[in-house]
Amino acid sequence: IAPAYLFCGSSGIGRTIAAKSFTQLLLTQGVSPEKQTLANRKLQTGNHPDLLWVEPTYLKGGELYTAKEALEQGFQYKTPPKIRIDQIRNLTQYLNRPVLEAKRQVVIIEDAQTMGEAPANALLKTLEEPGNATLIVIAPDTDSLLTTLVSRCQKIQFYRLSQADLTTVLQR
């Protein structure tokens, strides 16, 4: 298992689904069948202690809100949400604690292209030495990220299905 993966491909192609499935395998590997069921339930509810999901946020009054939370609160912004340096610092603190239930920790960074230069540079040290963790960075392409960040990840490119493959999948 590599310390960091970069899942690249256009939106809607399955990067997030693949990240969730890969995470499920990583967090249930070497765990008894009874604990696997419990771990899978925790993963489905987003409540597994060894998984940290980082997504772009808005900042309001010193608090971070995901796009969904901001919408629920009725906040309106003219700019899109972004991954902030505070989130990367929290990620680093998270990885400094021991695993609780699985054999490793997993961090998923969704929409990494929204990360500015300062958060990306803060992430570099963690990518070099993640400890007992695997990081999955999700972005549309490598051009949207710092080259130093891309060079520290194993790149997995996602492509659209060919017409023949799509037909086969739909027939099944």
PDB file of all heavy atoms in Angstrom, residues 88-124:
ATOM      1  N   ILE A  88      -5.614  21.400   6.965  1.00  0.00           N
ATOM      2  CA  ILE A  88      -4.397  20.599   6.802  1.00  0.00           C
ATOM      3  C   ILE A  88      -3.694  20.443   8.147  1.00  0.00           C
ATOM      4  O   ILE A  88      -3.175  19.374   8.470  1.00  0.00           O
ATOM      5  CB  ILE A  88      -3.467  21.229   5.740  1.00  0.00           C
ATOM      6  CG1 ILE A  88      -4.195  21.339   4.387  1.00  0.00           C
ATOM      7  CG2 ILE A  88      -2.174  20.434   5.611  1.00  0.00           C
ATOM      8  CD1 ILE A  88      -4.714  20.024   3.823  1.00  0.00           C
ATOM      9  N   ARG A  89      -3.691  21.489   8.951  1.00  0.00           N
ATOM     10  CA  ARG A  89      -3.100  21.386  10.299  1.00  0.00           C
ATOM     11  C   ARG A  89      -3.873  20.380  11.151  1.00  0.00           C
ATOM     12  O   ARG A  89      -3.275  19.590  11.887  1.00  0.00           O
ATOM     13  CB  ARG A  89      -3.081  22.757  10.966  1.00  0.00           C
ATOM     14  CG  ARG A  89      -2.063  23.690  10.351  1.00  0.00           C
ATOM     15  CD  ARG A  89      -2.052  25.034  11.044  1.00  0.00           C
ATOM     16  NE  ARG A  89      -1.095  25.922  10.396  1.00  0.00           N
ATOM     17  CZ  ARG A  89      -1.313  27.200  10.146  1.00  0.00           C
ATOM     18  NH1 ARG A  89      -2.446  27.768  10.519  1.00  0.00           N
ATOM     19  NH2 ARG A  89      -0.395  27.927   9.545  1.00  0.00           N
ATOM     20  N   ASN A  90      -5.200  20.390  11.055  1.00  0.00           N
ATOM     21  CA  ASN A  90      -6.013  19.414  11.781  1.00  0.00           C
ATOM     22  C   ASN A  90      -5.733  17.998  11.291  1.00  0.00           C
ATOM     23  O   ASN A  90      -5.697  17.058  12.082  1.00  0.00           O
ATOM     24  CB  ASN A  90      -7.504  19.733  11.633  1.00  0.00           C
ATOM     25  CG  ASN A  90      -7.898  20.974  12.383  1.00  0.00           C
ATOM     26  OD1 ASN A  90      -7.203  21.428  13.293  1.00  0.00           O
ATOM     27  ND2 ASN A  90      -9.024  21.557  11.999  1.00  0.00           N
ATOM     28  N   LEU A  91      -5.529  17.864   9.998  1.00  0.00           N
ATOM     29  CA  LEU A  91      -5.182  16.571   9.403  1.00  0.00           C
ATOM     30  C   LEU A  91      -3.884  16.052  10.005  1.00  0.00           C
ATOM     31  O   LEU A  91      -3.778  14.882  10.378  1.00  0.00           O
ATOM     32  CB  LEU A  91      -5.068  16.747   7.889  1.00  0.00           C
ATOM     33  CG  LEU A  91      -4.698  15.602   6.989  1.00  0.00           C
ATOM     34  CD1 LEU A  91      -5.174  15.912   5.584  1.00  0.00           C
ATOM     35  CD2 LEU A  91      -3.240  15.313   6.938  1.00  0.00           C
ATOM     36  N   THR A  92      -2.890  16.926  10.131  1.00  0.00           N
ATOM     37  CA  THR A  92      -1.604  16.544  10.702  1.00  0.00           C
ATOM     38  C   THR A  92      -1.769  16.109  12.153  1.00  0.00           C
ATOM     39  O   THR A  92      -1.197  15.093  12.573  1.00  0.00           O
ATOM     40  CB  THR A  92      -0.602  17.719  10.599  1.00  0.00           C
ATOM     41  OG1 THR A  92      -0.521  18.121   9.231  1.00  0.00           O
ATOM     42  CG2 THR A  92       0.771  17.322  11.086  1.00  0.00           C
ATOM     43  N   GLN A  93      -2.545  16.839  12.922  1.00  0.00           N
ATOM     44  CA  GLN A  93      -2.808  16.460  14.321  1.00  0.00           C
ATOM     45  C   GLN A  93      -3.527  15.124  14.390  1.00  0.00           C
ATOM     46  O   GLN A  93      -3.227  14.283  15.238  1.00  0.00           O
ATOM     47  CB  GLN A  93      -3.628  17.531  15.027  1.00  0.00           C
ATOM     48  CG  GLN A  93      -2.876  18.806  15.291  1.00  0.00           C
ATOM     49  CD  GLN A  93      -3.768  19.878  15.897  1.00  0.00           C
ATOM     50  OE1 GLN A  93      -4.985  19.735  15.971  1.00  0.00           O
ATOM     51  NE2 GLN A  93      -3.145  20.969  16.330  1.00  0.00           N
ATOM     52  N   TYR A  94      -4.482  14.921  13.495  1.00  0.00           N
ATOM     53  CA  TYR A  94      -5.232  13.667  13.444  1.00  0.00           C
ATOM     54  C   TYR A  94      -4.291  12.480  13.223  1.00  0.00           C
ATOM     55  O   TYR A  94      -4.416  11.446  13.872  1.00  0.00           O
ATOM     56  CB  TYR A  94      -6.277  13.755  12.327  1.00  0.00           C
ATOM     57  CG  TYR A  94      -6.988  12.466  12.030  1.00  0.00           C
ATOM     58  CD1 TYR A  94      -8.051  12.040  12.806  1.00  0.00           C
ATOM     59  CD2 TYR A  94      -6.594  11.650  10.969  1.00  0.00           C
ATOM     60  CE1 TYR A  94      -8.714  10.858  12.540  1.00  0.00           C
ATOM     61  CE2 TYR A  94      -7.245  10.476  10.689  1.00  0.00           C
ATOM     62  CZ  TYR A  94      -8.297  10.080  11.481  1.00  0.00           C
ATOM     63  OH  TYR A  94      -8.934   8.900  11.205  1.00  0.00           O
ATOM     64  N   LEU A  95      -3.333  12.649  12.312  1.00  0.00           N
ATOM     65  CA  LEU A  95      -2.410  11.559  12.007  1.00  0.00           C
ATOM     66  C   LEU A  95      -1.379  11.326  13.106  1.00  0.00           C
ATOM     67  O   LEU A  95      -0.730  10.278  13.117  1.00  0.00           O
ATOM     68  CB  LEU A  95      -1.706  11.823  10.667  1.00  0.00           C
ATOM     69  CG  LEU A  95      -2.610  11.757   9.443  1.00  0.00           C
ATOM     70  CD1 LEU A  95      -1.832  12.112   8.190  1.00  0.00           C
ATOM     71  CD2 LEU A  95      -3.258  10.392   9.309  1.00  0.00           C
ATOM     72  N   ASN A  96      -1.230  12.254  14.020  1.00  0.00           N
ATOM     73  CA  ASN A  96      -0.284  12.083  15.120  1.00  0.00           C
ATOM     74  C   ASN A  96      -0.840  11.221  16.252  1.00  0.00           C
ATOM     75  O   ASN A  96      -0.105  10.815  17.129  1.00  0.00           O
ATOM     76  CB  ASN A  96       0.154  13.443  15.681  1.00  0.00           C
ATOM     77  CG  ASN A  96       1.149  14.116  14.780  1.00  0.00           C
ATOM     78  OD1 ASN A  96       1.902  13.465  14.057  1.00  0.00           O
ATOM     79  ND2 ASN A  96       1.163  15.443  14.795  1.00  0.00           N
ATOM     80  N   ARG A  97      -2.117  10.922  16.230  1.00  0.00           N
ATOM     81  CA  ARG A  97      -2.683  10.055  17.261  1.00  0.00           C
ATOM     82  C   ARG A  97      -2.661   8.606  16.768  1.00  0.00           C
ATOM     83  O   ARG A  97      -2.608   8.350  15.572  1.00  0.00           O
ATOM     84  CB  ARG A  97      -4.099  10.506  17.613  1.00  0.00           C
ATOM     85  CG  ARG A  97      -5.105  10.286  16.503  1.00  0.00           C
ATOM     86  CD  ARG A  97      -6.520  10.372  17.026  1.00  0.00           C
ATOM     87  NE  ARG A  97      -7.498  10.123  16.006  1.00  0.00           N
ATOM     88  CZ  ARG A  97      -7.806   8.939  15.502  1.00  0.00           C
ATOM     89  NH1 ARG A  97      -7.183   7.857  15.898  1.00  0.00           N
ATOM     90  NH2 ARG A  97      -8.741   8.802  14.578  1.00  0.00           N
ATOM     91  N   PRO A  98      -2.702   7.657  17.683  1.00  0.00           N
ATOM     92  CA  PRO A  98      -2.667   6.246  17.259  1.00  0.00           C
ATOM     93  C   PRO A  98      -3.998   5.804  16.644  1.00  0.00           C
ATOM     94  O   PRO A  98      -5.039   6.423  16.881  1.00  0.00           O
ATOM     95  CB  PRO A  98      -2.412   5.494  18.566  1.00  0.00           C
ATOM     96  CG  PRO A  98      -2.912   6.400  19.640  1.00  0.00           C
ATOM     97  CD  PRO A  98      -2.713   7.795  19.134  1.00  0.00           C
ATOM     98  N   VAL A  99      -3.935   4.732  15.858  1.00  0.00           N
ATOM     99  CA  VAL A  99      -5.163   4.168  15.290  1.00  0.00           C
ATOM    100  C   VAL A  99      -6.023   3.626  16.427  1.00  0.00           C
ATOM    101  O   VAL A  99      -5.505   3.212  17.464  1.00  0.00           O
ATOM    102  CB  VAL A  99      -4.865   3.067  14.251  1.00  0.00           C
ATOM    103  CG1 VAL A  99      -4.178   3.627  13.043  1.00  0.00           C
ATOM    104  CG2 VAL A  99      -4.072   1.943  14.852  1.00  0.00           C
ATOM    105  N   LEU A 100      -7.335   3.631  16.217  1.00  0.00           N
ATOM    106  CA  LEU A 100      -8.238   3.186  17.276  1.00  0.00           C
ATOM    107  C   LEU A 100      -8.854   1.824  17.001  1.00  0.00           C
ATOM    108  O   LEU A 100      -8.977   1.014  17.907  1.00  0.00           O
ATOM    109  CB  LEU A 100      -9.343   4.231  17.490  1.00  0.00           C
ATOM    110  CG  LEU A 100      -8.850   5.599  17.970  1.00  0.00           C
ATOM    111  CD1 LEU A 100      -9.989   6.600  18.010  1.00  0.00           C
ATOM    112  CD2 LEU A 100      -8.193   5.474  19.331  1.00  0.00           C
ATOM    113  N   GLU A 101      -9.243   1.566  15.758  1.00  0.00           N
ATOM    114  CA  GLU A 101      -9.918   0.304  15.462  1.00  0.00           C
ATOM    115  C   GLU A 101      -9.284  -0.479  14.326  1.00  0.00           C
ATOM    116  O   GLU A 101      -9.353  -1.696  14.315  1.00  0.00           O
ATOM    117  CB  GLU A 101     -11.396   0.568  15.134  1.00  0.00           C
ATOM    118  CG  GLU A 101     -12.174   1.092  16.316  1.00  0.00           C
ATOM    119  CD  GLU A 101     -13.639   1.329  15.995  1.00  0.00           C
ATOM    120  OE1 GLU A 101     -14.101   0.943  14.897  1.00  0.00           O
ATOM    121  OE2 GLU A 101     -14.323   1.922  16.843  1.00  0.00           O
ATOM    122  N   ALA A 102      -8.725   0.195  13.363  1.00  0.00           N
ATOM    123  CA  ALA A 102      -8.155  -0.472  12.187  1.00  0.00           C
ATOM    124  C   ALA A 102      -6.647  -0.612  12.354  1.00  0.00           C
ATOM    125  O   ALA A 102      -6.088  -0.245  13.382  1.00  0.00           O
ATOM    126  CB  ALA A 102      -8.491   0.330  10.935  1.00  0.00           C
ATOM    127  N   LYS A 103      -6.009  -1.122  11.328  1.00  0.00           N
ATOM    128  CA  LYS A 103      -4.548  -1.263  11.357  1.00  0.00           C
ATOM    129  C   LYS A 103      -3.851  -0.005  10.847  1.00  0.00           C
ATOM    130  O   LYS A 103      -2.656   0.136  11.000  1.00  0.00           O
ATOM    131  CB  LYS A 103      -4.138  -2.468  10.519  1.00  0.00           C
ATOM    132  CG  LYS A 103      -4.766  -3.753  10.990  1.00  0.00           C
ATOM    133  CD  LYS A 103      -3.780  -4.864  10.990  1.00  0.00           C
ATOM    134  CE  LYS A 103      -4.493  -6.140  11.374  1.00  0.00           C
ATOM    135  NZ  LYS A 103      -3.967  -6.749  12.527  1.00  0.00           N
ATOM    136  N   ARG A 104      -4.621   0.898  10.225  1.00  0.00           N
ATOM    137  CA  ARG A 104      -4.062   2.130   9.685  1.00  0.00           C
ATOM    138  C   ARG A 104      -5.139   3.207   9.683  1.00  0.00           C
ATOM    139  O   ARG A 104      -6.304   2.917   9.856  1.00  0.00           O
ATOM    140  CB  ARG A 104      -3.528   1.931   8.276  1.00  0.00           C
ATOM    141  CG  ARG A 104      -4.614   1.654   7.241  1.00  0.00           C
ATOM    142  CD  ARG A 104      -4.099   1.561   5.812  1.00  0.00           C
ATOM    143  NE  ARG A 104      -2.986   0.693   5.726  1.00  0.00           N
ATOM    144  CZ  ARG A 104      -1.731   1.005   5.313  1.00  0.00           C
ATOM    145  NH1 ARG A 104      -1.453   2.097   4.897  1.00  0.00           N
ATOM    146  NH2 ARG A 104      -0.754   0.195   5.278  1.00  0.00           N
ATOM    147  N   GLN A 105      -4.712   4.434   9.455  1.00  0.00           N
ATOM    148  CA  GLN A 105      -5.640   5.542   9.288  1.00  0.00           C
ATOM    149  C   GLN A 105      -5.743   5.865   7.801  1.00  0.00           C
ATOM    150  O   GLN A 105      -4.807   5.619   7.045  1.00  0.00           O
ATOM    151  CB  GLN A 105      -5.138   6.779  10.039  1.00  0.00           C
ATOM    152  CG  GLN A 105      -5.134   6.601  11.539  1.00  0.00           C
ATOM    153  CD  GLN A 105      -4.393   7.723  12.236  1.00  0.00           C
ATOM    154  OE1 GLN A 105      -3.269   8.024  11.887  1.00  0.00           O
ATOM    155  NE2 GLN A 105      -5.033   8.336  13.211  1.00  0.00           N
ATOM    156  N   VAL A 106      -6.863   6.430   7.410  1.00  0.00           N
ATOM    157  CA  VAL A 106      -7.061   6.850   6.030  1.00  0.00           C
ATOM    158  C   VAL A 106      -7.574   8.292   6.046  1.00  0.00           C
ATOM    159  O   VAL A 106      -8.457   8.632   6.832  1.00  0.00           O
ATOM    160  CB  VAL A 106      -8.069   5.945   5.288  1.00  0.00           C
ATOM    161  CG1 VAL A 106      -8.327   6.456   3.879  1.00  0.00           C
ATOM    162  CG2 VAL A 106      -7.567   4.512   5.241  1.00  0.00           C
ATOM    163  N   VAL A 107      -6.986   9.104   5.186  1.00  0.00           N
ATOM    164  CA  VAL A 107      -7.426  10.487   5.006  1.00  0.00           C
ATOM    165  C   VAL A 107      -7.777  10.665   3.539  1.00  0.00           C
ATOM    166  O   VAL A 107      -6.981  10.321   2.664  1.00  0.00           O
ATOM    167  CB  VAL A 107      -6.333  11.495   5.415  1.00  0.00           C
ATOM    168  CG1 VAL A 107      -6.764  12.916   5.095  1.00  0.00           C
ATOM    169  CG2 VAL A 107      -5.986  11.354   6.884  1.00  0.00           C
ATOM    170  N   ILE A 108      -8.973  11.180   3.283  1.00  0.00           N
ATOM    171  CA  ILE A 108      -9.401  11.463   1.915  1.00  0.00           C
ATOM    172  C   ILE A 108      -9.538  12.977   1.785  1.00  0.00           C
ATOM    173  O   ILE A 108     -10.241  13.612   2.579  1.00  0.00           O
ATOM    174  CB  ILE A 108     -10.737  10.763   1.583  1.00  0.00           C
ATOM    175  CG1 ILE A 108     -10.571   9.252   1.688  1.00  0.00           C
ATOM    176  CG2 ILE A 108     -11.227  11.177   0.194  1.00  0.00           C
ATOM    177  CD1 ILE A 108     -11.839   8.462   1.525  1.00  0.00           C
ATOM    178  N   ILE A 109      -8.867  13.535   0.799  1.00  0.00           N
ATOM    179  CA  ILE A 109      -8.955  14.966   0.527  1.00  0.00           C
ATOM    180  C   ILE A 109      -9.694  15.137  -0.794  1.00  0.00           C
ATOM    181  O   ILE A 109      -9.161  14.852  -1.858  1.00  0.00           O
ATOM    182  CB  ILE A 109      -7.558  15.621   0.459  1.00  0.00           C
ATOM    183  CG1 ILE A 109      -6.811  15.373   1.763  1.00  0.00           C
ATOM    184  CG2 ILE A 109      -7.687  17.108   0.149  1.00  0.00           C
ATOM    185  CD1 ILE A 109      -5.374  15.848   1.753  1.00  0.00           C
ATOM    186  N   GLU A 110     -10.938  15.559  -0.679  1.00  0.00           N
ATOM    187  CA  GLU A 110     -11.794  15.693  -1.853  1.00  0.00           C
ATOM    188  C   GLU A 110     -11.659  17.092  -2.448  1.00  0.00           C
ATOM    189  O   GLU A 110     -11.490  18.069  -1.725  1.00  0.00           O
ATOM    190  CB  GLU A 110     -13.250  15.432  -1.453  1.00  0.00           C
ATOM    191  CG  GLU A 110     -14.157  15.236  -2.622  1.00  0.00           C
ATOM    192  CD  GLU A 110     -15.516  14.683  -2.219  1.00  0.00           C
ATOM    193  OE1 GLU A 110     -15.864  14.718  -1.041  1.00  0.00           O
ATOM    194  OE2 GLU A 110     -16.206  14.220  -3.113  1.00  0.00           O
ATOM    195  N   ASP A 111     -11.745  17.170  -3.765  1.00  0.00           N
ATOM    196  CA  ASP A 111     -11.623  18.446  -4.483  1.00  0.00           C
ATOM    197  C   ASP A 111     -10.334  19.179  -4.100  1.00  0.00           C
ATOM    198  O   ASP A 111     -10.342  20.366  -3.765  1.00  0.00           O
ATOM    199  CB  ASP A 111     -12.837  19.351  -4.239  1.00  0.00           C
ATOM    200  CG  ASP A 111     -14.110  18.785  -4.842  1.00  0.00           C
ATOM    201  OD1 ASP A 111     -14.011  18.134  -5.905  1.00  0.00           O
ATOM    202  OD2 ASP A 111     -15.188  18.989  -4.264  1.00  0.00           O
ATOM    203  N   ALA A 112      -9.234  18.451  -4.161  1.00  0.00           N
ATOM    204  CA  ALA A 112      -7.935  19.001  -3.754  1.00  0.00           C
ATOM    205  C   ALA A 112      -7.508  20.189  -4.604  1.00  0.00           C
ATOM    206  O   ALA A 112      -6.674  20.984  -4.173  1.00  0.00           O
ATOM    207  CB  ALA A 112      -6.867  17.908  -3.808  1.00  0.00           C
ATOM    208  N   GLN A 113      -8.084  20.350  -5.791  1.00  0.00           N
ATOM    209  CA  GLN A 113      -7.734  21.473  -6.647  1.00  0.00           C
ATOM    210  C   GLN A 113      -8.150  22.810  -6.028  1.00  0.00           C
ATOM    211  O   GLN A 113      -7.669  23.861  -6.439  1.00  0.00           O
ATOM    212  CB  GLN A 113      -8.340  21.312  -8.050  1.00  0.00           C
ATOM    213  CG  GLN A 113      -9.829  21.565  -8.126  1.00  0.00           C
ATOM    214  CD  GLN A 113     -10.688  20.379  -7.716  1.00  0.00           C
ATOM    215  OE1 GLN A 113     -10.199  19.368  -7.234  1.00  0.00           O
ATOM    216  NE2 GLN A 113     -11.990  20.502  -7.909  1.00  0.00           N
ATOM    217  N   THR A 114      -9.007  22.790  -5.010  1.00  0.00           N
ATOM    218  CA  THR A 114      -9.429  24.026  -4.347  1.00  0.00           C
ATOM    219  C   THR A 114      -8.428  24.477  -3.286  1.00  0.00           C
ATOM    220  O   THR A 114      -8.603  25.533  -2.689  1.00  0.00           O
ATOM    221  CB  THR A 114     -10.811  23.859  -3.682  1.00  0.00           C
ATOM    222  OG1 THR A 114     -10.709  22.897  -2.625  1.00  0.00           O
ATOM    223  CG2 THR A 114     -11.863  23.434  -4.692  1.00  0.00           C
ATOM    224  N   MET A 115      -7.404  23.689  -3.077  1.00  0.00           N
ATOM    225  CA  MET A 115      -6.383  24.000  -2.078  1.00  0.00           C
ATOM    226  C   MET A 115      -5.425  25.047  -2.625  1.00  0.00           C
ATOM    227  O   MET A 115      -4.908  24.910  -3.722  1.00  0.00           O
ATOM    228  CB  MET A 115      -5.622  22.691  -1.770  1.00  0.00           C
ATOM    229  CG  MET A 115      -4.796  22.715  -0.552  1.00  0.00           C
ATOM    230  SD  MET A 115      -4.001  21.111  -0.170  1.00  0.00           S
ATOM    231  CE  MET A 115      -4.729  19.907  -1.212  1.00  0.00           C
ATOM    232  N   GLY A 116      -5.199  26.102  -1.870  1.00  0.00           N
ATOM    233  CA  GLY A 116      -4.242  27.129  -2.264  1.00  0.00           C
ATOM    234  C   GLY A 116      -2.816  26.648  -2.057  1.00  0.00           C
ATOM    235  O   GLY A 116      -2.569  25.520  -1.622  1.00  0.00           O
ATOM    236  N   GLU A 117      -1.877  27.520  -2.349  1.00  0.00           N
ATOM    237  CA  GLU A 117      -0.463  27.145  -2.246  1.00  0.00           C
ATOM    238  C   GLU A 117      -0.036  26.878  -0.807  1.00  0.00           C
ATOM    239  O   GLU A 117       0.697  25.925  -0.550  1.00  0.00           O
ATOM    240  CB  GLU A 117       0.408  28.245  -2.860  1.00  0.00           C
ATOM    241  CG  GLU A 117       1.841  27.807  -3.045  1.00  0.00           C
ATOM    242  CD  GLU A 117       2.663  28.808  -3.842  1.00  0.00           C
ATOM    243  OE1 GLU A 117       2.080  29.624  -4.574  1.00  0.00           O
ATOM    244  OE2 GLU A 117       3.894  28.740  -3.721  1.00  0.00           O
ATOM    245  N   ALA A 118      -0.486  27.685   0.139  1.00  0.00           N
ATOM    246  CA  ALA A 118      -0.092  27.502   1.546  1.00  0.00           C
ATOM    247  C   ALA A 118      -0.580  26.165   2.109  1.00  0.00           C
ATOM    248  O   ALA A 118       0.213  25.409   2.691  1.00  0.00           O
ATOM    249  CB  ALA A 118      -0.575  28.666   2.394  1.00  0.00           C
ATOM    250  N   PRO A 119      -1.860  25.799   1.942  1.00  0.00           N
ATOM    251  CA  PRO A 119      -2.292  24.488   2.419  1.00  0.00           C
ATOM    252  C   PRO A 119      -1.581  23.337   1.700  1.00  0.00           C
ATOM    253  O   PRO A 119      -1.245  22.327   2.315  1.00  0.00           O
ATOM    254  CB  PRO A 119      -3.789  24.458   2.133  1.00  0.00           C
ATOM    255  CG  PRO A 119      -4.197  25.860   1.948  1.00  0.00           C
ATOM    256  CD  PRO A 119      -2.997  26.593   1.473  1.00  0.00           C
ATOM    257  N   ALA A 120      -1.350  23.493   0.398  1.00  0.00           N
ATOM    258  CA  ALA A 120      -0.665  22.432  -0.363  1.00  0.00           C
ATOM    259  C   ALA A 120       0.758  22.245   0.159  1.00  0.00           C
ATOM    260  O   ALA A 120       1.219  21.106   0.320  1.00  0.00           O
ATOM    261  CB  ALA A 120      -0.647  22.770  -1.839  1.00  0.00           C
ATOM    262  N   ASN A 121       1.457  23.335   0.431  1.00  0.00           N
ATOM    263  CA  ASN A 121       2.813  23.230   0.980  1.00  0.00           C
ATOM    264  C   ASN A 121       2.803  22.616   2.371  1.00  0.00           C
ATOM    265  O   ASN A 121       3.695  21.856   2.736  1.00  0.00           O
ATOM    266  CB  ASN A 121       3.497  24.600   0.999  1.00  0.00           C
ATOM    267  CG  ASN A 121       3.961  25.007  -0.375  1.00  0.00           C
ATOM    268  OD1 ASN A 121       4.349  24.176  -1.189  1.00  0.00           O
ATOM    269  ND2 ASN A 121       3.912  26.298  -0.654  1.00  0.00           N
ATOM    270  N   ALA A 122       1.778  22.926   3.169  1.00  0.00           N
ATOM    271  CA  ALA A 122       1.659  22.335   4.506  1.00  0.00           C
ATOM    272  C   ALA A 122       1.408  20.831   4.418  1.00  0.00           C
ATOM    273  O   ALA A 122       1.817  20.073   5.296  1.00  0.00           O
ATOM    274  CB  ALA A 122       0.535  23.019   5.275  1.00  0.00           C
ATOM    275  N   LEU A 123       0.749  20.402   3.357  1.00  0.00           N
ATOM    276  CA  LEU A 123       0.452  18.981   3.166  1.00  0.00           C
ATOM    277  C   LEU A 123       1.674  18.176   2.721  1.00  0.00           C
ATOM    278  O   LEU A 123       1.746  16.966   2.950  1.00  0.00           O
ATOM    279  CB  LEU A 123      -0.683  18.833   2.140  1.00  0.00           C
ATOM    280  CG  LEU A 123      -1.179  17.432   1.836  1.00  0.00           C
ATOM    281  CD1 LEU A 123      -1.748  16.767   3.073  1.00  0.00           C
ATOM    282  CD2 LEU A 123      -2.219  17.482   0.730  1.00  0.00           C
ATOM    283  N   LEU A 124       2.662  18.819   2.116  1.00  0.00           N
ATOM    284  CA  LEU A 124       3.826  18.115   1.566  1.00  0.00           C
ATOM    285  C   LEU A 124       4.544  17.272   2.610  1.00  0.00           C
ATOM    286  O   LEU A 124       4.896  16.117   2.365  1.00  0.00           O
ATOM    287  CB  LEU A 124       4.803  19.106   0.934  1.00  0.00           C
ATOM    288  CG  LEU A 124       4.340  19.735  -0.371  1.00  0.00           C
ATOM    289  CD1 LEU A 124       5.351  20.771  -0.842  1.00  0.00           C
ATOM    290  CD2 LEU A 124       4.118  18.678  -1.431  1.00  0.00           C
TER     291      LEU A 124
END
